[in-house]
Amino acid sequence: MCGRYVSTRSPQELAPLFEVPDVPAKETLAPNWNVAPTNDVWAVLERAPRDKEDAAPVERALRPLRWGLVPSWAKDLKIGARMINARVETVHEKPAFRRAFTRRRCLLPADGFYEWEQIKDPNTGKARKQPYFIHPEDDQVMALAGLYEYWRDPAVKQDDDPAAWLMTCTIITTEATDTAGRVHPRMPLALTPEHYDAWLDPAHQDPDELRALLGQPAGGHLDARPVSTAVNNVRNNGPQLLDELAS
């Protein structure tokens, strides 16, 4: 699974990387070295503006979404905490994800992600989990394949009230490869730039063609370094979390 990741790049940095024409003027997220479920995260997506006609062309945009997908049929937000990941093997058929898979896909920019390896503590002899920061060797941004969904808050009476609608997302995961596979059997699935357009296009709805885009994780040139267990606490944040643990 992917339960924590790092996202520190600003909208001004992300917009040209993903060919987003307009940088969000008002919506700003602080750099986050310990992104946890239910946090707001940057997402790249394509959709028609809600305040325009249905026939309006889709626009590519950066939007803050809540991590943890809440299906449209959910009765409350709590289910989102269990929907932070969608397995690539079954994402096209699971009731919580299959509609979003064909219609609402996104990219979640990340500097890297954390995974935990079960090890034996040499001092105590007891098993413990050692966190690792896994990231591209060249430190380029990762474009994690994701899905997003709209959820209507029944507590808000008016449909046109911005508070009536919540946008949430999930990260698609796959079998881990290379360095990541030595730490944990699963990893988030990142796309290469040549697949961005096809993945984001909401008119592209053929499940088999979409699944073909997810055949292999992007790159494969990943580096992993042990980091402090301080990352285990979601309240801890800052660039020091990425420091390599002294042996």
Side-chain angles (χ1 to χ4, degrees):
M1 64 176 295
C2 175
R4 301 283 179 80
Y5 69 98
V6 178
S7 180
T8 65
R9 288 171 167 84
S10 69
Q12 290 75 19
E13 293 174 282
L14 294 174
L17 294 176
F18 294 97
E19 299 182 359
V20 175
D22 297 315
V23 177
K26 298 179 181 179
E27 298 168 317
T28 302
L29 299 178
N32 194 337
W33 288 268
N34 199 1
V35 179
T38 74
N39 286 170
D40 285 346
V41 298
W42 285 119
V44 182
L45 51 86
E46 290 186 358
R47 64 188 181 105
R50 291 180 61 85
D51 58 349
K52 295 184 180 180
E53 298 294 329
D54 291 341
V58 298
E59 297 177 357
R60 185 171 297 187
L62 271 169
R63 290 285 184 271
L65 308 184
R66 177 185 167 114
W67 184 21
L69 188 139
V70 180
S72 60
W73 41 259
K75 294 181 179 180
D76 59 50
L77 292 175
K78 294 179 181 178
I79 193 174
R82 305 195 305 272
M83 299 287 184
I84 62 170
N85 292 161
R87 294 174 66 93
V88 68
E89 296 88 348
T90 58
V91 65
H92 61 295
E93 58 189 15
K94 290 291 185 180
F97 304 128
R98 62 190 178 196
R99 187 171 176 82
F101 182 68
T102 58
R103 296 174 180 268
R104 287 178 287 278
R105 298 175 300 277
C106 61
L107 295 171
L108 302 168
D111 301 347
F113 58 97
Y114 297 105
E115 288 295 359
W116 283 257
E117 180 185 27
Q118 192 87 8
I119 66 170
K120 186 175 182 179
D121 191 311
N123 297 318
T124 66
K126 296 181 179 179
R128 67 175 180 86
K129 289 185 176 181
Q130 170 61 51
Y132 284 78
F133 177 58
I134 302 172
H135 62 99
E137 291 175 343
D138 57 5
D139 289 325
Q140 294 298 306
V141 68
M142 300 181 76
L144 308 183
L147 310 176
Y148 71 96
E149 189 57 273
Y150 295 98
W151 182 72
R152 175 68 167 87
D153 186 348
V156 181
K157 302 303 181 184
Q158 300 297 325
D159 274 355
D160 58 358
D161 186 333
W165 296 94
L166 180 70
M167 295 178 69
T168 62
C169 62
T170 189
I171 294 172
I172 296 177
T173 65
T174 188
E175 290 186 4
T177 59
D178 301 325
T179 300
R182 294 194 289 273
V183 176
H184 193 274
R186 304 289 296 181
M187 65 180 285
L189 201 158
L191 294 181
T192 51
E194 63 267 25
H195 290 156
Y196 291 176
D197 291 347
W199 179 250
L200 294 174
D201 184 359
H204 190 184
Q205 298 184 7
D206 184 284
D208 291 334
E209 292 180 2
L210 291 169
R211 293 186 70 201
L213 300 176
L214 304 176
Q216 293 291 334
H221 300 287
L222 298 174
D223 183 40
R225 61 175 178 264
V227 294
S228 168
T229 54
V231 73
N232 296 356
N233 188 329
V234 297
R235 292 187 292 272
N236 293 330
N237 214 312
Q240 72 278 1
L241 294 180
L242 306 186
D243 291 344
E244 185 166 5
L245 191 68
S247 58

